[in-house]
Amino acid sequence: MKKLTPILLLVFSFIAFTSCDNEDDHPFTTSTGMATTYNLNEKAVTGISGTARFIKNQDASVTVVLAISNTPAGGSHPAHIHANNAIEGGGIVISLNPVDGDTGRSVTTFSTKDDGSTITYEELLAFDGYINVHLSADNLSTIVAQGDIGENAPTENTITYDLGEKAVPGIAGNVTFTERVNGEILATIALANTPAGGSHPAHIHANTAAETGGILLSFNPVDGDSGMSATNLTTLDDGTAFTFSDIATWDAYVNVHLSMDNLATIVAQGDIGQNDLTSNTITYDLGEKAVPGIAGDVTFTERINGEILATIALANTPAGGSHPAHIHANTAAETGGILLSFNPVDGDSGMSATNLTTLDDGTAFTFSDIATWDAYVNVHLSMDNLATIVAQGDIGQNDLTGESKEYTLNEKDVPGISGTATFYQRVNGSALAVLNIMNTPMGGSHPAHIHENDIVTSGGIAFSFNPVNGDTGMSMTQVEALDNGTAITYDEILTYNGYINVHLSLDNLATIVAQGNIGANE
């Protein structure tokens, strides 16, 4: 077998390297086989985008091949290499042959800039420039594709943070930071549903969004027509330099405002850097209490830095109201003192956001501690009316598992009074007992107990519930031990040898208004 000559080996190697390009574009006899490709992204015309391939030739010249998709047939699209990055803009340095609308291609070979000075392939790879492809020679202001090249080209180092909606429903998106080859950073904000014709100032602020803070860095405004903003970053507003790796450690958040005249209205917002949220989250229900219809939940989400964002979301809060909210010790049925104060719930939005690191007494805690808390949440009507609780829910180990058992309590000595006793399993294995009695007399207070044995046999009191409120017919009691101190779990209640009596009053225990067997005697 004959050996291939070095020349043939070079030919075959280059054919393999350039198999995706037409030989008419850059004949393999003049290429060195070295090439770099840059993306050209769509701009003013949706769907038009492509690539710019820079090829080093053996004679030290450079061939640039533009391959653009979805160009209109019959069109001719001027293309140029400009100075600076695309965000900052700059003059034309090298004019490329126009892109043929029928094929979407342009091929230009050169070794000098438009001013006659020489430029090499290696210098182009380090060039501070970008490429514009225009709609036509008569409409150079309409750019159909654009991309940074050389030192401005984006690397694979990128990080994206969500920007959630705030004052204007539907406006949301993200901010993406991308490191360039030269170490500078391209920041791109992309929002959906921004109003046409608008201009939305955007900034990076110090601290978390829940805490708020001053402006650290100003982005170029978000364009309402496109929902986009692009900014080249090298320093904060005060001149402090930073690098891409610094972003992940920032104690900061992003605000996007409605307009320069209405900075108080924030249309999108998100924590960034060390304040970014992880996927570790836990949500607890907050049920309605004194005001029908006000209910929701509280969500705890761990941040990258280990701190916690607590978000309360309630429906049907009264407009203009401000609702204090706290974490209390014990279960809601037992009540207890305040452990932690949230930022008040805003009546207009039903929302509260609080950054958590310590309890009110300064005790530090972590996200993993929350699941073990013996606690509950209260949301109050107002600072002047803390006694009126509009939403409430057990959290941590007191949270309900979803398992429950309901027993019927039949009427006895007073016609029409009957109801149910429902036991709900908690995460810690204990139980929440809820008595729901219909037609109790207004203003009454009805003692209730679990007795030993069944109704027919009867027996002594084993457990005392909180009295049933005559106005509401309700009683809620934490069940974890019998009156004699013997521990009892939810599972043990389901097999307990007992029955329930609800009495007319503390002064008239002999009159039983509702009664029913439970556990093994059901």
Side-chain angles (χ1 to χ4, degrees):
M1 180 179 293
K2 294 182 178 179
K3 294 183 178 180
L4 293 174
T5 66
I7 293 177
L8 287 175
L9 284 173
L10 174 62
V11 169
F12 292 151
S13 298
F14 184 66
I15 289 174
F17 184 82
T18 62
S19 60
C20 63
D21 299 298
N22 293 329
E23 292 178 1
D24 293 339
D25 291 341
H26 43 85
F28 61 80
T29 53
T30 62
S31 171
T32 64
M34 298 177 64
T36 300
T37 300
Y38 300 104
N39 289 325
L40 301 179
N41 303 307
E42 70 175 44
K43 289 288 289 181
V45 180
T46 304
I48 298 182
S49 62
T51 59
R53 185 170 176 82
F54 288 66
I55 302 163
K56 181 179 181 179
N57 297 321
Q58 291 179 4
D59 62 1
S61 67
V62 179
T63 296
V64 174
V65 180
L66 305 183
I68 311 297
S69 300
N70 302 315
T71 50
S76 178
H77 306 284
H80 313 93
I81 297 175
H82 293 254
N84 303 322
N85 59 61
I87 296 169
E88 297 168 325
I92 295 172
V93 177
I94 299 170
S95 298
L96 304 174
N97 292 325
V99 175
D100 183 346
D102 294 330
T103 65
R105 299 182 74 81
S106 160
V107 181
T108 309
T109 299
F110 57 90
S111 57
T112 62
K113 305 174 188 175
D114 286 2
D115 64 6
S117 60
T118 61
I119 189 165
T120 65
Y121 173 81
E122 287 75 16
E123 289 171 334
L124 281 166
L125 297 192
F127 187 65
D128 178 11
Y130 67 99
I131 290 176
N132 272 349
V133 181
H134 305 268
L135 184 58
S136 67
D138 296 329
N139 193 347
L140 292 175
S141 61
T142 301
I143 301 169
V144 296
Q146 184 183 76
D148 288 304
I149 65 168
E151 69 171 36
N152 298 324
T155 69
E156 294 182 354
N157 296 329
T158 184
I159 187 169
T160 298
Y161 300 104
D162 291 333
L163 299 177
E165 68 176 42
K166 289 289 289 181
V168 180
I171 298 182
N174 57 51
V175 56
T176 299
F177 298 91
T178 303
E179 186 176 28
R180 299 185 188 274
V181 170
N182 61 8
E184 296 178 0
I185 298 144
L186 168 63
T188 305
I189 298 174
L191 298 181
N193 303 315
T194 48
S199 178
H200 307 285
H203 312 93
I204 296 175
H205 293 253
N207 305 322
T208 67
E211 297 167 304
T212 73
I215 293 173
L216 297 176
L217 186 150
S218 300
F219 296 107
N220 291 327
V222 175
D223 176 69
D225 295 330
S226 65
M228 300 297 294
S229 161
T231 310
N232 194 62
L233 307 181
T234 57
T235 64
L236 301 178
D237 286 0
D238 66 3
T240 303
F242 65 90
T243 65
F244 178 82
S245 60
D246 293 328
I247 295 172
T249 67
W250 278 352
D251 177 13
Y253 67 100
V254 170
N255 272 351
V256 182
H257 306 267
L258 183 59
S259 67
M260 186 63 73
D261 295 330
N262 194 346
L263 293 174
T265 301
I266 301 169
V267 297
Q269 184 182 77
D271 289 302
I272 67 171
Q274 63 175 275
N275 299 328
D276 190 27
L277 304 178
T278 70
S279 59
N280 297 329
T281 185
I282 187 168
T283 298
Y284 300 105
D285 291 334
L286 299 178
E288 68 176 44
K289 289 290 288 181
V291 180
I294 298 182
D297 54 46
V298 57
T299 299
F300 299 91
T301 305
E302 186 177 29
R303 299 186 188 276
I304 287 176
N305 61 9
E307 296 178 359
I308 299 140
L309 170 63
T311 305
I312 298 174
L314 298 182
N316 303 314
T317 49
S322 179
H323 306 284
H326 313 93
I327 296 175
H328 293 254
N330 305 322
T331 67
E334 297 168 301
T335 73
I338 294 173
L339 297 175
L340 185 150
S341 301
F342 297 107
N343 292 327
V345 175
D346 177 68
D348 294 330
S349 65
M351 300 296 295
S352 161
T354 310
N355 194 61
L356 307 181
T357 57
T358 64
L359 301 178
D360 286 359
D361 67 2
T363 302
F365 65 90
T366 65
F367 177 81
S368 60
D369 293 329
I370 296 172
T372 67
W373 278 351
D374 176 13
Y376 66 100
V377 170
N378 272 350
V379 182
H380 306 268
L381 183 60
S382 67
M383 186 63 73
D384 296 329
N385 194 346
L386 293 174
T388 301
I389 301 170
V390 297
Q392 184 182 77
D394 289 303
I395 67 171
Q397 63 175 278
N398 299 328
D399 190 27
L400 304 180
T401 65
E403 294 292 326
S404 65
K405 177 63 178 177
E406 181 180 281
Y407 299 101
T408 300
L409 301 180
N410 300 303
E411 69 176 43
K412 279 285 290 178
D413 299 334
V414 180
I417 299 181
S418 63
T420 59
T422 304
F423 295 88
Y424 297 89
Q425 184 184 46
R426 297 192 189 275
V427 169
N428 61 13
S430 66
L432 166 65
V434 178
L435 306 185
N436 186 3
I437 311 299
M438 296 181 293
N439 302 316
T440 50
M442 296 289 290
S445 178
H446 306 284
H449 312 93
I450 297 176
H451 291 256
E452 296 174 343
N453 305 319
D454 60 23
I455 292 172
V456 174
T457 309
S458 75
I461 294 173
F463 179 84
S464 300
F465 296 104
N466 292 325
V468 175
N469 181 289
D471 295 334
T472 63
M474 300 296 295
S475 162
M476 298 176 63
T477 310
Q478 169 68 7
V479 184
E480 57 190 44
L482 301 177
D483 287 0
N484 65 7
T486 303
I488 187 169
T489 66
Y490 170 83
D491 290 334
E492 290 169 337
I493 292 169
L494 303 190
T495 61
Y496 188 73
N497 177 21
Y499 66 98
I500 290 175
N501 275 347
V502 181
H503 305 269
L504 182 60
S505 68
L506 191 56
D507 296 330
N508 194 345
L509 294 175
T511 301
I512 300 170
V513 297
Q515 185 182 71
N517 285 312
I518 66 167
N521 301 323
E522 184 186 14

